[in-house]
Amino acid sequence: MLKILLINQCEAADSSQAVILYTGLYLVVFGDGGLKAALPSLGADQFDESDPEESNTLSSFFNWFLFFVITGAIFGVTFLVWISENEGWNWGFGVSTFAVAITILFLCMGRSLCRNNVPKGSPLSRIMQFWNGKMAVGMFLDDSCLGFEHLIETGDS
């Protein structure tokens, strides 16, 4: 009962604290979005699709990648929360900082082993070629891929 009363007596955050909070949240979202978009393609670039052995291990890479992303999320919402609640926030942030430091160390150690596929040409011209190809084929006019073919045939809504 005493704990509930203390929780309800919190001071409201002032504007500078709110700015810090929302800036941190937006940075986490931005970083996570960059990680989830860039890391799978970077990993896929490490495999040569013309080599049959490497082509088979490409699907294994995506399985392991997703497994470790989910394992890390489970670790973060269970173990790190338990550490923060029972040992203190400083221990929770310390474990997280240690994990990031180890990750950066492994990334730096393996950088010389990574393949770097440099894109050729302008990315904008590739995008325009894609859209021009879609327009030429008429993919925008074909509703069969959207599941509306029964509406076109019968005229029912």
CSV table of all heavy atoms in Angstrom, one decimal, residues 69-133:
chain,number,residue,atom,x,y,z
A,69,VAL,N,18.1,-12.2,-33.0
A,69,VAL,CA,17.4,-11.0,-32.8
A,69,VAL,C,16.3,-11.2,-31.7
A,69,VAL,O,16.1,-10.5,-30.8
A,69,VAL,CB,16.8,-10.4,-34.1
A,69,VAL,CG1,15.7,-9.4,-33.8
A,69,VAL,CG2,17.9,-9.9,-35.0
A,70,ILE,N,15.6,-12.3,-31.9
A,70,ILE,CA,14.5,-12.7,-30.9
A,70,ILE,C,15.1,-13.0,-29.6
A,70,ILE,O,14.5,-12.6,-28.5
A,70,ILE,CB,13.6,-13.8,-31.5
A,70,ILE,CG1,12.8,-13.2,-32.7
A,70,ILE,CG2,12.6,-14.3,-30.5
A,70,ILE,CD1,12.0,-14.2,-33.5
A,71,THR,N,16.2,-13.8,-29.6
A,71,THR,CA,16.8,-14.1,-28.3
A,71,THR,C,17.3,-12.9,-27.6
A,71,THR,O,17.1,-12.8,-26.3
A,71,THR,CB,18.0,-15.1,-28.5
A,71,THR,OG1,17.5,-16.2,-29.2
A,71,THR,CG2,18.6,-15.5,-27.2
A,72,GLY,N,17.8,-12.0,-28.3
A,72,GLY,CA,18.3,-10.7,-27.7
A,72,GLY,C,17.1,-9.9,-27.1
A,72,GLY,O,17.2,-9.3,-26.0
A,73,ALA,N,16.0,-9.9,-27.8
A,73,ALA,CA,14.8,-9.2,-27.3
A,73,ALA,C,14.3,-9.9,-26.0
A,73,ALA,O,13.9,-9.2,-25.1
A,73,ALA,CB,13.7,-9.2,-28.4
A,74,ILE,N,14.2,-11.2,-26.0
A,74,ILE,CA,13.8,-11.9,-24.8
A,74,ILE,C,14.7,-11.7,-23.7
A,74,ILE,O,14.3,-11.4,-22.5
A,74,ILE,CB,13.6,-13.4,-25.1
A,74,ILE,CG1,12.5,-13.7,-26.1
A,74,ILE,CG2,13.5,-14.2,-23.8
A,74,ILE,CD1,12.4,-15.1,-26.6
A,75,PHE,N,16.0,-11.7,-23.9
A,75,PHE,CA,17.0,-11.4,-22.9
A,75,PHE,C,16.8,-10.0,-22.3
A,75,PHE,O,16.9,-9.8,-21.1
A,75,PHE,CB,18.4,-11.5,-23.5
A,75,PHE,CG,19.5,-11.2,-22.5
A,75,PHE,CD1,19.9,-12.1,-21.6
A,75,PHE,CD2,20.2,-10.0,-22.6
A,75,PHE,CE1,20.9,-11.8,-20.7
A,75,PHE,CE2,21.2,-9.7,-21.7
A,75,PHE,CZ,21.6,-10.6,-20.8
A,76,GLY,N,16.5,-9.0,-23.2
A,76,GLY,CA,16.4,-7.6,-22.8
A,76,GLY,C,15.1,-7.4,-22.0
A,76,GLY,O,15.2,-6.6,-21.0
A,77,VAL,N,14.0,-8.1,-22.3
A,77,VAL,CA,12.8,-7.8,-21.5
A,77,VAL,C,12.6,-8.7,-20.3
A,77,VAL,O,11.7,-8.5,-19.5
A,77,VAL,CB,11.5,-7.9,-22.4
A,77,VAL,CG1,11.6,-6.9,-23.5
A,77,VAL,CG2,11.4,-9.3,-23.0
A,78,THR,N,13.5,-9.7,-20.1
A,78,THR,CA,13.4,-10.6,-19.0
A,78,THR,C,14.6,-10.4,-18.0
A,78,THR,O,14.5,-9.8,-16.9
A,78,THR,CB,13.3,-12.0,-19.3
A,78,THR,OG1,14.4,-12.4,-20.2
A,78,THR,CG2,12.0,-12.3,-20.0
A,79,PHE,N,15.8,-10.8,-18.5
A,79,PHE,CA,17.0,-10.8,-17.7
A,79,PHE,C,17.4,-9.4,-17.3
A,79,PHE,O,17.7,-9.1,-16.1
A,79,PHE,CB,18.1,-11.5,-18.4
A,79,PHE,CG,19.4,-11.6,-17.6
A,79,PHE,CD1,19.4,-12.4,-16.4
A,79,PHE,CD2,20.5,-11.0,-18.0
A,79,PHE,CE1,20.5,-12.5,-15.7
A,79,PHE,CE2,21.7,-11.1,-17.2
A,79,PHE,CZ,21.7,-11.9,-16.1
A,80,LEU,N,17.5,-8.5,-18.3
A,80,LEU,CA,17.9,-7.1,-18.0
A,80,LEU,C,16.9,-6.4,-17.1
A,80,LEU,O,17.3,-5.6,-16.2
A,80,LEU,CB,18.1,-6.3,-19.2
A,80,LEU,CG,19.4,-6.7,-20.0
A,80,LEU,CD1,19.5,-5.9,-21.3
A,80,LEU,CD2,20.6,-6.4,-19.1
A,81,VAL,N,15.6,-6.6,-17.3
A,81,VAL,CA,14.6,-6.0,-16.4
A,81,VAL,C,14.8,-6.6,-15.0
A,81,VAL,O,14.7,-5.8,-14.0
A,81,VAL,CB,13.2,-6.3,-16.9
A,81,VAL,CG1,12.1,-5.9,-15.9
A,81,VAL,CG2,13.0,-5.5,-18.2
A,82,TRP,N,15.0,-7.9,-14.8
A,82,TRP,CA,15.2,-8.5,-13.5
A,82,TRP,C,16.5,-7.9,-12.8
A,82,TRP,O,16.4,-7.5,-11.7
A,82,TRP,CB,15.4,-10.0,-13.7
A,82,TRP,CG,15.6,-10.7,-12.3
A,82,TRP,CD1,14.6,-11.1,-11.5
A,82,TRP,CD2,16.8,-11.0,-11.7
A,82,TRP,NE1,15.1,-11.6,-10.4
A,82,TRP,CE2,16.5,-11.6,-10.5
A,82,TRP,CE3,18.1,-10.8,-12.1
A,82,TRP,CZ2,17.5,-12.0,-9.6
A,82,TRP,CZ3,19.1,-11.2,-11.2
A,82,TRP,CH2,18.8,-11.8,-10.0
A,83,ILE,N,17.5,-7.7,-13.6
A,83,ILE,CA,18.8,-7.1,-13.0
A,83,ILE,C,18.5,-5.7,-12.6
A,83,ILE,O,18.8,-5.2,-11.5
A,83,ILE,CB,19.9,-7.1,-14.0
A,83,ILE,CG1,20.5,-8.5,-14.2
A,83,ILE,CG2,21.0,-6.2,-13.6
A,83,ILE,CD1,21.6,-8.6,-15.2
A,84,SER,N,17.8,-4.9,-13.4
A,84,SER,CA,17.5,-3.5,-13.1
A,84,SER,C,16.6,-3.4,-11.8
A,84,SER,O,16.7,-2.5,-11.0
A,84,SER,CB,16.8,-2.8,-14.2
A,84,SER,OG,17.6,-2.7,-15.3
A,85,GLU,N,15.6,-4.3,-11.7
A,85,GLU,CA,14.7,-4.3,-10.6
A,85,GLU,C,15.3,-4.7,-9.3
A,85,GLU,O,15.1,-4.2,-8.2
A,85,GLU,CB,13.4,-5.1,-10.9
A,85,GLU,CG,12.5,-4.5,-11.9
A,85,GLU,CD,11.9,-3.2,-11.4
A,85,GLU,OE1,11.5,-3.1,-10.2
A,85,GLU,OE2,11.8,-2.3,-12.2
A,86,ASN,N,16.2,-5.8,-9.4
A,86,ASN,CA,16.8,-6.4,-8.2
A,86,ASN,C,18.1,-5.8,-7.8
A,86,ASN,O,18.5,-5.8,-6.6
A,86,ASN,CB,16.8,-7.9,-8.3
A,86,ASN,CG,15.4,-8.5,-8.4
A,86,ASN,OD1,14.6,-8.2,-7.6
A,86,ASN,ND2,15.2,-9.4,-9.4
A,87,GLU,N,18.9,-5.5,-8.7
A,87,GLU,CA,20.3,-5.0,-8.4
A,87,GLU,C,20.4,-3.5,-8.6
A,87,GLU,O,21.4,-2.9,-8.1
A,87,GLU,CB,21.3,-5.7,-9.3
A,87,GLU,CG,21.3,-7.2,-9.2
A,87,GLU,CD,21.7,-7.7,-7.8
A,87,GLU,OE1,22.6,-7.0,-7.2
A,87,GLU,OE2,21.2,-8.7,-7.3
A,88,GLY,N,19.6,-2.9,-9.4
A,88,GLY,CA,19.6,-1.4,-9.6
A,88,GLY,C,19.8,-1.1,-11.0
A,88,GLY,O,20.3,-1.9,-11.8
A,89,TRP,N,19.4,0.1,-11.4
A,89,TRP,CA,19.5,0.6,-12.8
A,89,TRP,C,21.0,0.6,-13.2
A,89,TRP,O,21.3,0.4,-14.4
A,89,TRP,CB,18.9,1.9,-12.9
A,89,TRP,CG,17.4,1.9,-13.0
A,89,TRP,CD1,16.5,1.4,-12.0
A,89,TRP,CD2,16.6,2.3,-14.0
A,89,TRP,NE1,15.3,1.5,-12.4
A,89,TRP,CE2,15.3,2.1,-13.7
A,89,TRP,CE3,16.9,2.8,-15.3
A,89,TRP,CZ2,14.2,2.3,-14.5
A,89,TRP,CZ3,15.8,3.1,-16.1
A,89,TRP,CH2,14.5,2.8,-15.7
A,90,ASN,N,21.9,1.0,-12.3
A,90,ASN,CA,23.3,1.0,-12.7
A,90,ASN,C,23.8,-0.3,-13.2
A,90,ASN,O,24.6,-0.4,-14.2
A,90,ASN,CB,24.2,1.6,-11.6
A,90,ASN,CG,24.0,0.8,-10.3
A,90,ASN,OD1,23.1,0.0,-10.2
A,90,ASN,ND2,24.9,1.1,-9.4
A,91,TRP,N,23.4,-1.4,-12.6
A,91,TRP,CA,23.8,-2.7,-13.1
A,91,TRP,C,23.1,-3.1,-14.4
A,91,TRP,O,23.8,-3.6,-15.3
A,91,TRP,CB,23.4,-3.8,-12.0
A,91,TRP,CG,24.4,-3.9,-10.9
A,91,TRP,CD1,24.3,-3.3,-9.7
A,91,TRP,CD2,25.6,-4.6,-11.0
A,91,TRP,NE1,25.4,-3.6,-9.0
A,91,TRP,CE2,26.2,-4.4,-9.7
A,91,TRP,CE3,26.2,-5.4,-11.9
A,91,TRP,CZ2,27.4,-5.0,-9.4
A,91,TRP,CZ3,27.4,-6.0,-11.6
A,91,TRP,CH2,28.0,-5.8,-10.4
A,92,GLY,N,21.9,-2.7,-14.6
A,92,GLY,CA,21.2,-2.9,-15.9
A,92,GLY,C,21.9,-2.2,-17.0
A,92,GLY,O,22.1,-2.8,-18.1
A,93,PHE,N,22.2,-0.9,-16.8
A,93,PHE,CA,22.9,-0.2,-17.9
A,93,PHE,C,24.3,-0.7,-18.0
A,93,PHE,O,24.9,-0.7,-19.1
A,93,PHE,CB,22.9,1.3,-17.5
A,93,PHE,CG,21.6,2.0,-17.8
A,93,PHE,CD1,20.8,2.5,-16.8
A,93,PHE,CD2,21.1,2.1,-19.1
A,93,PHE,CE1,19.6,3.1,-17.1
A,93,PHE,CE2,19.9,2.7,-19.4
A,93,PHE,CZ,19.2,3.2,-18.4
A,94,GLY,N,24.9,-1.1,-17.0
A,94,GLY,CA,26.3,-1.7,-17.0
A,94,GLY,C,26.4,-2.9,-17.9
A,94,GLY,O,27.2,-3.1,-18.7
A,95,VAL,N,25.4,-3.8,-17.7
A,95,VAL,CA,25.4,-5.1,-18.5
A,95,VAL,C,25.1,-4.7,-19.9
A,95,VAL,O,25.7,-5.3,-20.8
A,95,VAL,CB,24.3,-6.0,-17.9
A,95,VAL,CG1,24.0,-7.2,-18.8
A,95,VAL,CG2,24.7,-6.6,-16.5
A,96,SER,N,24.2,-3.8,-20.2
A,96,SER,CA,23.9,-3.4,-21.6
A,96,SER,C,25.1,-2.8,-22.2
A,96,SER,O,25.5,-3.1,-23.4
A,96,SER,CB,22.8,-2.4,-21.6
A,96,SER,OG,21.6,-3.0,-21.1
A,97,THR,N,25.8,-1.9,-21.5
A,97,THR,CA,27.0,-1.3,-22.0
A,97,THR,C,28.1,-2.3,-22.3
A,97,THR,O,28.8,-2.2,-23.3
A,97,THR,CB,27.6,-0.2,-21.0
A,97,THR,OG1,26.5,0.7,-20.8
A,97,THR,CG2,28.8,0.5,-21.6
A,98,PHE,N,28.3,-3.3,-21.4
A,98,PHE,CA,29.3,-4.3,-21.6
A,98,PHE,C,28.9,-5.2,-22.9
A,98,PHE,O,29.8,-5.5,-23.7
A,98,PHE,CB,29.3,-5.2,-20.4
A,98,PHE,CG,30.3,-6.4,-20.5
A,98,PHE,CD1,31.6,-6.1,-20.4
A,98,PHE,CD2,29.8,-7.7,-20.7
A,98,PHE,CE1,32.6,-7.2,-20.6
A,98,PHE,CE2,30.7,-8.7,-20.8
A,98,PHE,CZ,32.1,-8.5,-20.8
A,99,ALA,N,27.6,-5.5,-23.1
A,99,ALA,CA,27.2,-6.2,-24.3
A,99,ALA,C,27.5,-5.5,-25.5
A,99,ALA,O,28.0,-6.0,-26.5
A,99,ALA,CB,25.7,-6.6,-24.1
A,100,VAL,N,27.2,-4.2,-25.5
A,100,VAL,CA,27.5,-3.3,-26.7
A,100,VAL,C,29.0,-3.3,-27.0
A,100,VAL,O,29.4,-3.3,-28.1
A,100,VAL,CB,26.8,-1.9,-26.6
A,100,VAL,CG1,27.3,-1.0,-27.6
A,100,VAL,CG2,25.3,-2.0,-26.6
A,101,ALA,N,29.8,-3.1,-25.9
A,101,ALA,CA,31.2,-3.1,-26.1
A,101,ALA,C,31.8,-4.4,-26.7
A,101,ALA,O,32.6,-4.3,-27.6
A,101,ALA,CB,31.9,-2.8,-24.8
A,102,ILE,N,31.3,-5.5,-26.2
A,102,ILE,CA,31.7,-6.8,-26.8
A,102,ILE,C,31.3,-6.9,-28.3
A,102,ILE,O,32.0,-7.4,-29.1
A,102,ILE,CB,31.1,-8.0,-26.0
A,102,ILE,CG1,31.7,-8.0,-24.6
A,102,ILE,CG2,31.3,-9.3,-26.7
A,102,ILE,CD1,33.2,-8.2,-24.5
A,103,THR,N,30.1,-6.4,-28.6
A,103,THR,CA,29.6,-6.5,-30.0
A,103,THR,C,30.5,-5.6,-30.9
A,103,THR,O,30.8,-6.0,-32.0
A,103,THR,CB,28.1,-6.0,-30.0
A,103,THR,OG1,27.3,-6.8,-29.2
A,103,THR,CG2,27.6,-6.0,-31.4
A,104,ILE,N,30.8,-4.4,-30.4
A,104,ILE,CA,31.7,-3.5,-31.2
A,104,ILE,C,33.1,-4.2,-31.4
A,104,ILE,O,33.7,-4.1,-32.5
A,104,ILE,CB,31.8,-2.1,-30.6
A,104,ILE,CG1,30.4,-1.4,-30.7
A,104,ILE,CG2,32.9,-1.3,-31.2
A,104,ILE,CD1,30.3,-0.1,-29.9
A,105,LEU,N,33.6,-4.8,-30.4
A,105,LEU,CA,34.9,-5.5,-30.4
A,105,LEU,C,34.8,-6.6,-31.5
A,105,LEU,O,35.7,-6.7,-32.4
A,105,LEU,CB,35.2,-6.1,-29.1
A,105,LEU,CG,36.5,-6.9,-29.0
A,105,LEU,CD1,37.7,-6.0,-29.2
A,105,LEU,CD2,36.7,-7.6,-27.7
A,106,PHE,N,33.8,-7.4,-31.5
A,106,PHE,CA,33.7,-8.5,-32.5
A,106,PHE,C,33.5,-7.9,-33.9
A,106,PHE,O,34.0,-8.5,-34.9
A,106,PHE,CB,32.5,-9.4,-32.1
A,106,PHE,CG,32.9,-10.5,-31.2
A,106,PHE,CD1,32.4,-10.5,-29.9
A,106,PHE,CD2,33.7,-11.6,-31.5
A,106,PHE,CE1,32.7,-11.4,-29.0
A,106,PHE,CE2,34.0,-12.5,-30.6
A,106,PHE,CZ,33.6,-12.5,-29.3
A,107,LEU,N,32.7,-6.9,-34.0
A,107,LEU,CA,32.5,-6.2,-35.3
A,107,LEU,C,33.9,-5.7,-35.9
A,107,LEU,O,34.2,-5.9,-37.0
A,107,LEU,CB,31.5,-5.1,-35.2
A,107,LEU,CG,31.2,-4.3,-36.5
A,107,LEU,CD1,30.5,-5.2,-37.5
A,107,LEU,CD2,30.4,-3.1,-36.2
A,108,CYS,N,34.7,-5.1,-35.0
A,108,CYS,CA,36.0,-4.6,-35.5
A,108,CYS,C,36.9,-5.7,-35.8
A,108,CYS,O,37.7,-5.6,-36.8
A,108,CYS,CB,36.6,-3.7,-34.4
A,108,CYS,SG,35.7,-2.1,-34.2
A,109,MET,N,36.9,-6.8,-35.0
A,109,MET,CA,37.7,-8.0,-35.3
A,109,MET,C,37.4,-8.6,-36.6
A,109,MET,O,38.3,-9.1,-37.4
A,109,MET,CB,37.7,-9.0,-34.2
A,109,MET,CG,38.4,-8.5,-32.9
A,109,MET,SD,38.3,-9.6,-31.5
A,109,MET,CE,37.6,-11.1,-32.0
A,110,GLY,N,36.1,-8.7,-37.0
A,110,GLY,CA,35.7,-9.4,-38.2
A,110,GLY,C,35.6,-8.5,-39.4
A,110,GLY,O,35.2,-9.0,-40.5
A,111,ARG,N,35.9,-7.2,-39.3
A,111,ARG,CA,35.7,-6.3,-40.4
A,111,ARG,C,36.6,-6.7,-41.6
A,111,ARG,O,36.2,-6.5,-42.7
A,111,ARG,CB,36.0,-4.9,-40.0
A,111,ARG,CG,35.7,-3.9,-41.0
A,111,ARG,CD,35.6,-2.5,-40.5
A,111,ARG,NE,35.2,-1.6,-41.6
A,111,ARG,CZ,35.7,-0.4,-41.8
A,111,ARG,NH1,36.5,0.1,-40.9
A,111,ARG,NH2,35.3,0.3,-42.8
A,112,SER,N,37.8,-7.2,-41.3
A,112,SER,CA,38.7,-7.5,-42.4
A,112,SER,C,38.2,-8.7,-43.2
A,112,SER,O,38.6,-9.0,-44.3
A,112,SER,CB,40.1,-7.7,-41.9
A,112,SER,OG,40.1,-8.9,-41.0
A,113,LEU,N,37.3,-9.5,-42.6
A,113,LEU,CA,36.8,-10.7,-43.3
A,113,LEU,C,35.5,-10.5,-44.1
A,113,LEU,O,35.1,-11.3,-44.8
A,113,LEU,CB,36.5,-11.8,-42.2
A,113,LEU,CG,37.6,-12.2,-41.3
A,113,LEU,CD1,37.1,-13.1,-40.2
A,113,LEU,CD2,38.7,-12.9,-42.1
A,114,CYS,N,34.9,-9.3,-44.0
A,114,CYS,CA,33.7,-9.0,-44.6
A,114,CYS,C,33.9,-8.6,-46.1
A,114,CYS,O,34.9,-8.0,-46.5
A,114,CYS,CB,33.0,-7.8,-44.0
A,114,CYS,SG,32.3,-8.2,-42.4
A,115,ARG,N,33.0,-9.0,-46.9
A,115,ARG,CA,33.0,-8.6,-48.3
A,115,ARG,C,32.3,-7.3,-48.4
A,115,ARG,O,31.2,-7.1,-47.8
A,115,ARG,CB,32.2,-9.7,-49.2
A,115,ARG,CG,32.8,-11.0,-49.2
A,115,ARG,CD,32.0,-11.9,-50.1
A,115,ARG,NE,32.6,-13.2,-50.1
A,115,ARG,CZ,32.0,-14.3,-50.4
A,115,ARG,NH1,30.7,-14.3,-50.8
A,115,ARG,NH2,32.6,-15.5,-50.4
A,116,ASN,N,32.8,-6.4,-49.2
A,116,ASN,CA,32.2,-5.1,-49.4
A,116,ASN,C,31.8,-5.0,-50.9
A,116,ASN,O,32.6,-4.7,-51.7
A,116,ASN,CB,33.2,-4.0,-49.0
A,116,ASN,CG,32.6,-2.6,-49.0
A,116,ASN,OD1,31.3,-2.5,-49.1
A,116,ASN,ND2,33.4,-1.6,-49.0
A,117,ASN,N,30.5,-5.1,-51.1
A,117,ASN,CA,30.0,-5.0,-52.5
A,117,ASN,C,29.6,-3.6,-52.7
A,117,ASN,O,28.6,-3.1,-52.2
A,117,ASN,CB,28.7,-5.9,-52.7
A,117,ASN,CG,29.1,-7.4,-52.5
A,117,ASN,OD1,30.2,-7.8,-52.7
A,117,ASN,ND2,28.1,-8.2,-52.2
A,118,VAL,N,30.4,-2.9,-53.5
A,118,VAL,CA,30.2,-1.5,-53.8
A,118,VAL,C,29.1,-1.4,-54.9
A,118,VAL,O,29.3,-2.0,-55.9
A,118,VAL,CB,31.5,-0.8,-54.2
A,118,VAL,CG1,31.3,0.7,-54.5
A,118,VAL,CG2,32.6,-1.0,-53.1
A,119,PRO,N,28.1,-0.6,-54.6
A,119,PRO,CA,27.0,-0.5,-55.7
A,119,PRO,C,27.6,0.2,-56.9
A,119,PRO,O,28.4,1.1,-56.8
A,119,PRO,CB,25.9,0.3,-55.0
A,119,PRO,CG,26.4,0.7,-53.7
A,119,PRO,CD,27.7,0.1,-53.4
A,120,LYS,N,27.1,-0.1,-58.1
A,120,LYS,CA,27.5,0.5,-59.3
A,120,LYS,C,26.4,1.3,-59.9
A,120,LYS,O,25.3,0.9,-59.9
A,120,LYS,CB,27.9,-0.6,-60.3
A,120,LYS,CG,29.1,-1.4,-59.8
A,120,LYS,CD,29.3,-2.6,-60.7
A,120,LYS,CE,30.5,-3.5,-60.2
A,120,LYS,NZ,30.3,-4.1,-58.9
A,121,GLY,N,26.7,2.5,-60.3
A,121,GLY,CA,25.7,3.4,-60.9
A,121,GLY,C,25.0,4.2,-59.8
A,121,GLY,O,25.3,4.1,-58.6
A,122,SER,N,24.0,4.9,-60.3
A,122,SER,CA,23.3,5.8,-59.4
A,122,SER,C,22.1,5.0,-58.8
A,122,SER,O,21.4,4.3,-59.6
A,122,SER,CB,22.8,7.0,-60.2
A,122,SER,OG,21.8,7.7,-59.4
A,123,PRO,N,21.8,5.1,-57.5
A,123,PRO,CA,20.7,4.5,-57.0
A,123,PRO,C,19.4,5.1,-57.5
A,123,PRO,O,18.4,4.4,-57.6
A,123,PRO,CB,20.8,4.7,-55.4
A,123,PRO,CG,21.9,5.6,-55.2
A,123,PRO,CD,22.7,5.8,-56.5
A,124,LEU,N,19.4,6.3,-57.8
A,124,LEU,CA,18.2,7.0,-58.3
A,124,LEU,C,17.8,6.4,-59.7
A,124,LEU,O,16.6,6.2,-60.0
A,124,LEU,CB,18.3,8.5,-58.4
A,124,LEU,CG,18.4,9.2,-57.0
A,124,LEU,CD1,18.7,10.7,-57.2
A,124,LEU,CD2,17.2,8.9,-56.2
A,125,SER,N,18.8,6.2,-60.5
A,125,SER,CA,18.5,5.6,-61.9
A,125,SER,C,18.0,4.2,-61.7
A,125,SER,O,17.1,3.8,-62.5
A,125,SER,CB,19.8,5.6,-62.7
A,125,SER,OG,20.8,4.8,-62.2
A,126,ARG,N,18.5,3.4,-60.7
A,126,ARG,CA,17.9,2.1,-60.5
A,126,ARG,C,16.5,2.1,-60.1
A,126,ARG,O,15.7,1.3,-60.5
A,126,ARG,CB,18.8,1.3,-59.4
A,126,ARG,CG,20.2,1.1,-59.8
A,126,ARG,CD,20.4,0.0,-60.8
A,126,ARG,NE,19.8,-1.2,-60.5
A,126,ARG,CZ,20.4,-2.3,-60.0
A,126,ARG,NH1,21.7,-2.3,-59.7
A,126,ARG,NH2,19.7,-3.4,-59.7
A,127,ILE,N,16.1,3.1,-59.2
A,127,ILE,CA,14.8,3.2,-58.8
A,127,ILE,C,13.9,3.6,-59.9
A,127,ILE,O,12.8,3.0,-60.1
A,127,ILE,CB,14.7,4.2,-57.6
A,127,ILE,CG1,15.4,3.7,-56.4
A,127,ILE,CG2,13.2,4.6,-57.3
A,127,ILE,CD1,15.5,4.7,-55.3
A,128,MET,N,14.3,4.5,-60.8
A,128,MET,CA,13.5,4.9,-61.9
A,128,MET,C,13.4,3.8,-62.9
A,128,MET,O,12.3,3.6,-63.5
A,128,MET,CB,14.2,6.2,-62.6
A,128,MET,CG,14.1,7.4,-61.7
A,128,MET,SD,12.5,7.8,-61.1
A,128,MET,CE,11.6,8.2,-62.6
A,129,GLN,N,14.4,3.0,-63.1
A,129,GLN,CA,14.3,1.8,-64.0
A,129,GLN,C,13.2,0.8,-63.5
A,129,GLN,O,12.5,0.3,-64.2
A,129,GLN,CB,15.6,1.1,-64.1
A,129,GLN,CG,16.6,1.8,-65.0
A,129,GLN,CD,18.0,1.1,-64.9
A,129,GLN,OE1,18.2,0.2,-64.1
A,129,GLN,NE2,18.9,1.6,-65.7
A,130,PHE,N,13.2,0.7,-62.2
A,130,PHE,CA,12.2,-0.2,-61.5
A,130,PHE,C,10.8,0.3,-61.8
A,130,PHE,O,9.9,-0.4,-62.2
A,130,PHE,CB,12.5,-0.3,-60.0
A,130,PHE,CG,11.4,-1.1,-59.3
A,130,PHE,CD1,11.3,-2.4,-59.3
A,130,PHE,CD2,10.5,-0.4,-58.5
A,130,PHE,CE1,10.4,-3.1,-58.7
A,130,PHE,CE2,9.5,-1.0,-57.8
A,130,PHE,CZ,9.4,-2.4,-57.9
A,131,TRP,N,10.6,1.6,-61.5
A,131,TRP,CA,9.2,2.1,-61.7
A,131,TRP,C,8.8,2.2,-63.1
A,131,TRP,O,7.7,1.9,-63.5
A,131,TRP,CB,9.1,3.5,-61.0
A,131,TRP,CG,9.1,3.4,-59.6
A,131,TRP,CD1,10.0,3.8,-58.7
A,131,TRP,CD2,8.0,2.9,-58.8
A,131,TRP,NE1,9.7,3.6,-57.4
A,131,TRP,CE2,8.4,3.0,-57.4
A,131,TRP,CE3,6.8,2.3,-59.0
A,131,TRP,CZ2,7.6,2.5,-56.4
A,131,TRP,CZ3,6.0,1.9,-58.0
A,131,TRP,CH2,6.4,2.0,-56.7
A,132,ASN,N,9.8,2.5,-64.0
A,132,ASN,CA,9.4,2.5,-65.5
A,132,ASN,C,9.1,1.1,-65.9
A,132,ASN,O,8.2,0.9,-66.8
A,132,ASN,CB,10.6,3.1,-66.3
A,132,ASN,CG,10.7,4.6,-66.1
A,132,ASN,OD1,9.7,5.3,-65.8
A,132,ASN,ND2,11.9,5.1,-66.4
A,133,GLY,N,9.8,0.1,-65.4
A,133,GLY,CA,9.5,-1.3,-65.8
A,133,GLY,C,8.1,-1.7,-65.3
A,133,GLY,O,7.4,-2.4,-66.0
